Amino acid sequence: MTSKLEQLRAFTVVVADTGDLTAIEKFRPRDCTTNPSLILKAAQQPESAGLVREVIERGARDGDSVERILDRLAVRFGTELTKLVPGYVSTEVDARLSFDTQAMVDKARSLIALYEEHGVGRDRVLIKLAATWEGVRAAEVLEGEGIHCNLTLVFSLEQAVAAAQAGAFLISPFVGRITDWYKKAEGKDSYPVEEDPGVQSVRRIYAHFKEQGYPTVVMGASFRTAAQVEALAGCDRLTVSPALLAELDGDQGTLVRQLTPSDAEGDKEAPLGEAAFRWSLIENQMAGEKLNEGIRAFHQDYLKLKHTVEEHLAKVGTNAVPAD
């Protein structure tokens, strides 16, 4: 009997939710996703110390801003990841830009240019944008330029639909964070997996996309348990932490496919406008709160990484310009 991880690979693209180069070599995912907190964690590992030092010292010599060094660090990690996986590497735009369409577009173009300096084409990179209205519009522009986007922090069907209608390559609906919210709101310690609100949300989005014929990839994210991953077996992609990948890899039980594309097609829905999108995040308390909380948390992670870089710069001596 093969492991559940190997069985999962038969009908779902497995993505590693980590910047840990060693874990990626071990579990052989198709794609990788990163964010500032994952890069910070990876940067603190001995095997990554030389890479971090090299990027920071180059930035110090060139007089780069701290923000530019952070971009170079993200791209350098991403470049190393492209050597380990055959598919896409997701690189995140700073969450503080999440309500500025042009700023997100400019940052994405800058990141892609840095990747190209390292010989990595845009066909290997997904730009991660928060699924705000502005993020959706930025994705629309970038996709038109051949820069594929990963719309993250998706907590509602409306966010998912807006991203798909804008032509986003991929969306990341969050499972665990939705479940966390409902557990707190309803005073529950846990849910049977079939009643798990996070699992139900991704299943609903997946079914809707297949019914509408949207080509946008659905990638379940933010898992708390292996049972949640198993409950979404068959989803287009699933991005999973090394700890849960290890658990699935060590389980020799039978994995049953849960999601399968349907041949049935429903009536095509009208484009979702800005007013309806924004109102949906007011009406859906969970989605509105978790989107704002996620943006805030992602930016806090960015600030932690920035502080780490500034500490390194202080040690080597630098003319680098502080980030805003």
Side-chain angles (χ1 to χ4, degrees):
M1 177 68 73
T2 58
S3 72
K4 285 186 176 179
L5 179 58
E6 288 306 311
Q7 293 173 65
L8 181 63
R9 295 185 201 274
F11 35 74
T12 290
V13 173
V14 176
V15 180
D17 195 11
T18 182
D20 184 337
L21 305 181
T22 302
I24 290 165
E25 286 184 294
K26 178 179 179 181
F27 294 114
R28 300 175 292 105
R30 169 78 174 274
D31 301 341
C32 292
T33 61
T34 64
N35 60 44
S37 61
L38 294 176
I39 292 174
L40 176 61
K41 183 177 180 181
Q44 294 169 338
Q45 296 173 342
E47 58 267 31
S48 302
L51 182 154
V52 174
R53 184 169 58 252
E54 177 188 332
V55 172
I56 292 175
E57 289 179 355
R58 175 186 170 179
R61 289 195 306 271
D62 294 347
D64 285 338
S65 69
V66 174
E67 181 177 349
R68 184 67 169 174
I69 293 172
L70 287 166
D71 287 349
R72 288 191 179 279
L73 189 60
V75 168
R76 182 59 189 279
F77 266 100
T79 298
E80 293 304 311
L81 293 175
T82 64
K83 300 173 184 178
L84 300 175
V85 301
Y88 292 100
V89 171
S90 289
T91 297
E92 186 171 306
V93 166
D94 179 11
R96 72 188 171 92
L97 306 179
S98 296
F99 301 100
D100 187 333
T101 297
Q102 190 58 53
M104 283 185 277
V105 169
D106 291 343
K107 176 64 73 175
R109 290 169 176 163
S110 175
L111 290 170
I112 291 296
L114 286 175
Y115 269 110
E116 290 173 344
E117 285 183 14
H118 287 280
V120 178
R122 62 187 60 190
D123 60 322
R124 295 295 310 281
V125 181
L126 296 181
I127 296 296
K128 284 179 74 175
L129 305 167
T132 58
W133 180 256
E134 293 80 7
V136 168
R137 300 278 68 82
E140 187 172 39
V141 172
L142 294 167
E143 292 285 354
E145 299 176 2
I147 298 174
H148 290 320
C149 298
N150 171 353
L151 270 291
T152 189
L153 295 174
V154 173
F155 298 102
S156 71
L157 180 61
E158 290 81 4
Q159 286 176 285
V161 167
Q165 291 180 343
F169 177 81
L170 180 148
I171 62 165
S172 295
F174 279 31
V175 178
R177 297 194 192 193
I178 292 176
T179 305
D180 292 345
W181 190 93
Y182 279 101
K183 284 167 64 176
K184 182 177 180 180
E186 298 179 354
K188 292 189 175 183
D189 293 328
S190 63
Y191 294 91
V193 71
E194 291 299 316
E195 299 174 14
D196 187 308
V199 169
Q200 290 179 336
S201 178
V202 177
R203 286 181 173 181
R204 184 163 56 250
I205 290 169
Y206 177 89
H208 186 79
F209 273 33
K210 303 316 174 189
E211 179 184 86
Q212 289 291 312
Y214 291 132
T216 297
V217 173
V218 179
M219 182 173 75
S222 173
F223 292 100
R224 299 291 182 257
T225 67
Q228 290 177 325
V229 177
E230 293 180 42
L232 293 174
C235 192
D236 299 331
R237 283 171 167 79
L238 297 174
T239 180
V240 185
S241 69
L244 293 181
L245 288 174
E247 185 175 341
L248 291 166
D249 196 38
D251 189 338
Q252 300 297 308
T254 300
L255 180 67
V256 178
R257 182 169 189 162
Q258 301 293 329
L259 302 182
T260 304
S262 171
D263 293 332
E265 290 190 8
D267 294 335
K268 296 305 181 229
E269 60 192 343
L272 182 67
E274 179 178 359
F277 178 93
R278 294 192 185 281
W279 180 250
S280 73
L281 292 173
I282 297 296
E283 194 169 45
N284 184 336
Q285 183 181 354
M286 176 278 297
E289 288 182 3
K290 296 306 288 185
L291 174 61
N292 289 329
E293 178 187 280
I295 290 171
R296 190 163 51 246
F298 276 176
H299 184 56
Q300 289 301 314
D301 290 338
Y302 176 90
L303 293 177
K304 291 175 185 176
L305 183 58
K306 170 178 172 286
H307 179 68
T308 298
V309 169
E310 289 173 336
E311 287 182 332
H312 278 278
L313 287 170
K315 292 177 182 177
V316 301
T318 178
N319 296 317
V321 180
D324 294 336

